[in-house]
Amino acid sequence: MKAAILKSFGAPLAIETLPEPLLGTGEVIVDVVAAPVLPYANEVFSGERRYLLTPPVAPGCGAVGRVRAVGPDATRLAPGDWVFCDPTVRSRDGGLSPDITLQGWSARGEGGQRLQKHFHHGSFAERIRVPTENASPLGPLDDAEAARWCALVTLLVPYGGFLKADLRAGETVLISGATGNFGSAAVAVALAMGAGCVIAPGRNETVLEDLKRRFGLRVRTVKLGGQEEEDRERMRRAAPGPIDCVMDLLPPSASTLPVRAALMTVRPYGRAVLMGGVGMLGGAGLELPYPWIMRNCITLHGQWMCPPEAVLRMASLVRSGLLRLEEFDVTAFALDDANEAVTHAAAHGGPFKLTVLRP
């Protein structure tokens, strides 16, 4: 099968042939119809992000496609079914603390790297082998719709965080990093889940205005000035009342100052979720005050990706019309043009922009 292969960090993707994936028990082979190209893919492939990914590999984080073959233990999936391939692969012998790899993208620790050796190649290929539980049915689709469903890769990240924080209808949420790719998706997800108000801070006034235009009065934007105490007060004043939940999705390039400014707006007994990349490349620590956390009974969650059931729940949000994939502008590339797709994704990585490969 044809695939785009990362032979070494810093090298362009090579369009070559890989052996066909072999089907085993507990596995599904999927014909990839559309694969998302994340805006920071160039940083992963250059080695800048220092992700645990072992070349040579066909990279790619998630896919939408049709089932080609299923293992003997599959009882619901059948060839031809439309599925979303969740890249978050968990070890089945991990009990309460499974090892995790993001198939074709990264891994967590030594155990995740061992798991990556088997589920090695990602979605920049004509076919992909995934664990049965990672092939989530989407129901009937037109081929032309597949590319837009790749937005689930972005939307599922904040969704996982909100599920961890037990977000409830009517609550006020603050999204740290709201003008970014994942942060803007978090705004859409929070509203779809019933948030009464979303506070969206950022420095990009154009994006802030666009968020208000897209989502109306339930979104309140805040222009940040870079002074921690002043920004924190601006965010608090923008809220209609106490802030119940704060989510941080800032990238590795951000400092800890805006993270702390946002997190400490949360009300006593509130929840905060860390899902961004701050600190991954070094730098100062977050340094949240111990007395503030303890005396205000703050619940602080760290969340990487989303739980297994999140894909099916999110598909229901989309099917019901609560979450609109039409918000995303899609640009598609052929597999042969994978390097051009990576360049395009980096240059057009703003909110609600989606670059995909169509193998």
mmCIF file of all heavy atoms in Angstrom, residues 1-20:
data_model
loop_
_atom_site.group_PDB
_atom_site.id
_atom_site.type_symbol
_atom_site.label_atom_id
_atom_site.label_comp_id
_atom_site.label_asym_id
_atom_site.label_seq_id
_atom_site.Cartn_x
_atom_site.Cartn_y
_atom_site.Cartn_z
ATOM 1 N N MET A 1 0.836 -1.189 0.000
ATOM 2 C CA MET A 1 0.000 0.000 0.000
ATOM 3 C C MET A 1 0.880 1.251 0.000
ATOM 4 O O MET A 1 2.006 1.235 0.484
ATOM 5 C CB MET A 1 -0.914 0.015 1.235
ATOM 6 C CG MET A 1 -0.176 0.206 2.533
ATOM 7 S SD MET A 1 -1.279 0.389 3.949
ATOM 8 C CE MET A 1 -0.077 0.607 5.269
ATOM 9 N N LYS A 2 0.328 2.333 -0.541
ATOM 10 C CA LYS A 2 1.059 3.587 -0.593
ATOM 11 C C LYS A 2 0.947 4.304 0.751
ATOM 12 O O LYS A 2 -0.090 4.261 1.414
ATOM 13 C CB LYS A 2 0.500 4.476 -1.703
ATOM 14 C CG LYS A 2 1.283 5.780 -1.910
ATOM 15 C CD LYS A 2 0.558 6.705 -2.863
ATOM 16 C CE LYS A 2 0.528 6.155 -4.276
ATOM 17 N NZ LYS A 2 -0.069 7.164 -5.212
ATOM 18 N N ALA A 3 2.048 4.975 1.153
ATOM 19 C CA ALA A 3 2.056 5.710 2.416
ATOM 20 C C ALA A 3 3.053 6.852 2.322
ATOM 21 O O ALA A 3 3.967 6.841 1.484
ATOM 22 C CB ALA A 3 2.428 4.792 3.580
ATOM 23 N N ALA A 4 2.845 7.865 3.166
ATOM 24 C CA ALA A 4 3.817 8.941 3.339
ATOM 25 C C ALA A 4 4.648 8.595 4.565
ATOM 26 O O ALA A 4 4.112 8.437 5.660
ATOM 27 C CB ALA A 4 3.116 10.284 3.521
ATOM 28 N N ILE A 5 5.966 8.455 4.397
ATOM 29 C CA ILE A 5 6.814 7.888 5.443
ATOM 30 C C ILE A 5 7.815 8.925 5.945
ATOM 31 O O ILE A 5 8.504 9.581 5.152
ATOM 32 C CB ILE A 5 7.573 6.651 4.911
ATOM 33 C CG1 ILE A 5 6.561 5.603 4.403
ATOM 34 C CG2 ILE A 5 8.449 6.047 6.005
ATOM 35 C CD1 ILE A 5 7.189 4.445 3.662
ATOM 36 N N LEU A 6 7.881 9.069 7.251
ATOM 37 C CA LEU A 6 8.898 9.881 7.903
ATOM 38 C C LEU A 6 10.085 8.965 8.182
ATOM 39 O O LEU A 6 10.033 8.117 9.069
ATOM 40 C CB LEU A 6 8.366 10.475 9.215
ATOM 41 C CG LEU A 6 9.348 11.332 10.018
ATOM 42 C CD1 LEU A 6 9.686 12.623 9.274
ATOM 43 C CD2 LEU A 6 8.795 11.627 11.403
ATOM 44 N N LYS A 7 11.168 9.119 7.394
ATOM 45 C CA LYS A 7 12.322 8.229 7.537
ATOM 46 C C LYS A 7 13.252 8.678 8.651
ATOM 47 O O LYS A 7 13.929 7.852 9.276
ATOM 48 C CB LYS A 7 13.074 8.141 6.215
ATOM 49 C CG LYS A 7 12.277 7.414 5.127
ATOM 50 C CD LYS A 7 13.132 7.141 3.913
ATOM 51 C CE LYS A 7 12.421 6.200 2.953
ATOM 52 N NZ LYS A 7 13.267 5.876 1.781
ATOM 53 N N SER A 8 13.309 9.980 8.890
ATOM 54 C CA SER A 8 14.099 10.515 9.993
ATOM 55 C C SER A 8 13.596 11.916 10.296
ATOM 56 O O SER A 8 13.045 12.592 9.419
ATOM 57 C CB SER A 8 15.591 10.545 9.646
ATOM 58 O OG SER A 8 15.836 11.405 8.550
ATOM 59 N N PHE A 9 13.764 12.353 11.537
ATOM 60 C CA PHE A 9 13.326 13.699 11.897
ATOM 61 C C PHE A 9 14.113 14.735 11.092
ATOM 62 O O PHE A 9 15.335 14.633 10.953
ATOM 63 C CB PHE A 9 13.514 13.936 13.396
ATOM 64 C CG PHE A 9 12.566 13.160 14.258
ATOM 65 C CD1 PHE A 9 13.028 12.161 15.101
ATOM 66 C CD2 PHE A 9 11.207 13.425 14.223
ATOM 67 C CE1 PHE A 9 12.144 11.447 15.903
ATOM 68 C CE2 PHE A 9 10.317 12.726 15.019
ATOM 69 C CZ PHE A 9 10.789 11.728 15.856
ATOM 70 N N GLY A 10 13.388 15.706 10.569
ATOM 71 C CA GLY A 10 14.009 16.746 9.763
ATOM 72 C C GLY A 10 14.003 16.472 8.284
ATOM 73 O O GLY A 10 14.302 17.364 7.483
ATOM 74 N N ALA A 11 13.652 15.241 7.884
ATOM 75 C CA ALA A 11 13.593 14.888 6.464
ATOM 76 C C ALA A 11 12.165 15.042 5.961
ATOM 77 O O ALA A 11 11.208 14.874 6.715
ATOM 78 C CB ALA A 11 14.066 13.454 6.255
ATOM 79 N N PRO A 12 11.982 15.378 4.660
ATOM 80 C CA PRO A 12 10.623 15.423 4.118
ATOM 81 C C PRO A 12 10.008 14.039 4.082
ATOM 82 O O PRO A 12 10.715 13.017 4.097
ATOM 83 C CB PRO A 12 10.832 15.986 2.704
ATOM 84 C CG PRO A 12 12.248 15.662 2.369
ATOM 85 C CD PRO A 12 13.000 15.720 3.658
ATOM 86 N N LEU A 13 8.689 13.997 4.060
ATOM 87 C CA LEU A 13 7.999 12.723 3.942
ATOM 88 C C LEU A 13 8.285 12.101 2.583
ATOM 89 O O LEU A 13 8.309 12.790 1.559
ATOM 90 C CB LEU A 13 6.497 12.913 4.122
ATOM 91 C CG LEU A 13 6.049 13.479 5.476
ATOM 92 C CD1 LEU A 13 4.555 13.779 5.456
ATOM 93 C CD2 LEU A 13 6.394 12.530 6.611
ATOM 94 N N ALA A 14 8.488 10.791 2.579
ATOM 95 C CA ALA A 14 8.747 10.057 1.330
ATOM 96 C C ALA A 14 7.504 9.251 0.968
ATOM 97 O O ALA A 14 6.946 8.540 1.814
ATOM 98 C CB ALA A 14 9.946 9.141 1.500
ATOM 99 N N ILE A 15 7.058 9.367 -0.267
ATOM 100 C CA ILE A 15 5.888 8.613 -0.722
ATOM 101 C C ILE A 15 6.384 7.278 -1.261
ATOM 102 O O ILE A 15 7.001 7.191 -2.322
ATOM 103 C CB ILE A 15 5.107 9.383 -1.804
ATOM 104 C CG1 ILE A 15 4.824 10.811 -1.337
ATOM 105 C CG2 ILE A 15 3.813 8.650 -2.125
ATOM 106 C CD1 ILE A 15 4.069 10.918 -0.035
ATOM 107 N N GLU A 16 6.126 6.220 -0.505
ATOM 108 C CA GLU A 16 6.636 4.902 -0.838
ATOM 109 C C GLU A 16 5.569 3.842 -0.574
ATOM 110 O O GLU A 16 4.429 4.159 -0.208
ATOM 111 C CB GLU A 16 7.907 4.606 -0.033
ATOM 112 C CG GLU A 16 9.067 5.540 -0.366
ATOM 113 C CD GLU A 16 10.347 5.167 0.356
ATOM 114 O OE1 GLU A 16 10.317 4.180 1.132
ATOM 115 O OE2 GLU A 16 11.363 5.852 0.154
ATOM 116 N N THR A 17 5.966 2.592 -0.716
ATOM 117 C CA THR A 17 5.059 1.469 -0.502
ATOM 118 C C THR A 17 5.418 0.747 0.785
ATOM 119 O O THR A 17 6.594 0.476 1.050
ATOM 120 C CB THR A 17 5.128 0.485 -1.681
ATOM 121 O OG1 THR A 17 4.726 1.152 -2.878
ATOM 122 C CG2 THR A 17 4.202 -0.703 -1.450
ATOM 123 N N LEU A 18 4.413 0.457 1.592
ATOM 124 C CA LEU A 18 4.570 -0.338 2.799
ATOM 125 C C LEU A 18 3.849 -1.677 2.615
ATOM 126 O O LEU A 18 2.887 -1.768 1.837
ATOM 127 C CB LEU A 18 3.959 0.381 4.007
ATOM 128 C CG LEU A 18 4.695 1.578 4.594
ATOM 129 C CD1 LEU A 18 3.856 2.175 5.733
ATOM 130 C CD2 LEU A 18 6.064 1.169 5.107
ATOM 131 N N PRO A 19 4.266 -2.707 3.342
ATOM 132 C CA PRO A 19 3.510 -3.968 3.308
ATOM 133 C C PRO A 19 2.084 -3.751 3.805
ATOM 134 O O PRO A 19 1.829 -2.896 4.654
ATOM 135 C CB PRO A 19 4.297 -4.879 4.253
ATOM 136 C CG PRO A 19 5.662 -4.267 4.346
ATOM 137 C CD PRO A 19 5.479 -2.800 4.182
ATOM 138 N N GLU A 20 1.168 -4.525 3.284
ATOM 139 C CA GLU A 20 -0.215 -4.458 3.756
ATOM 140 C C GLU A 20 -0.278 -4.819 5.239
ATOM 141 O O GLU A 20 0.406 -5.742 5.693
ATOM 142 C CB GLU A 20 -1.106 -5.419 2.962
ATOM 143 C CG GLU A 20 -1.314 -5.031 1.521
ATOM 144 C CD GLU A 20 -2.266 -3.849 1.376
ATOM 145 O OE1 GLU A 20 -3.044 -3.593 2.324
ATOM 146 O OE2 GLU A 20 -2.213 -3.185 0.334
#
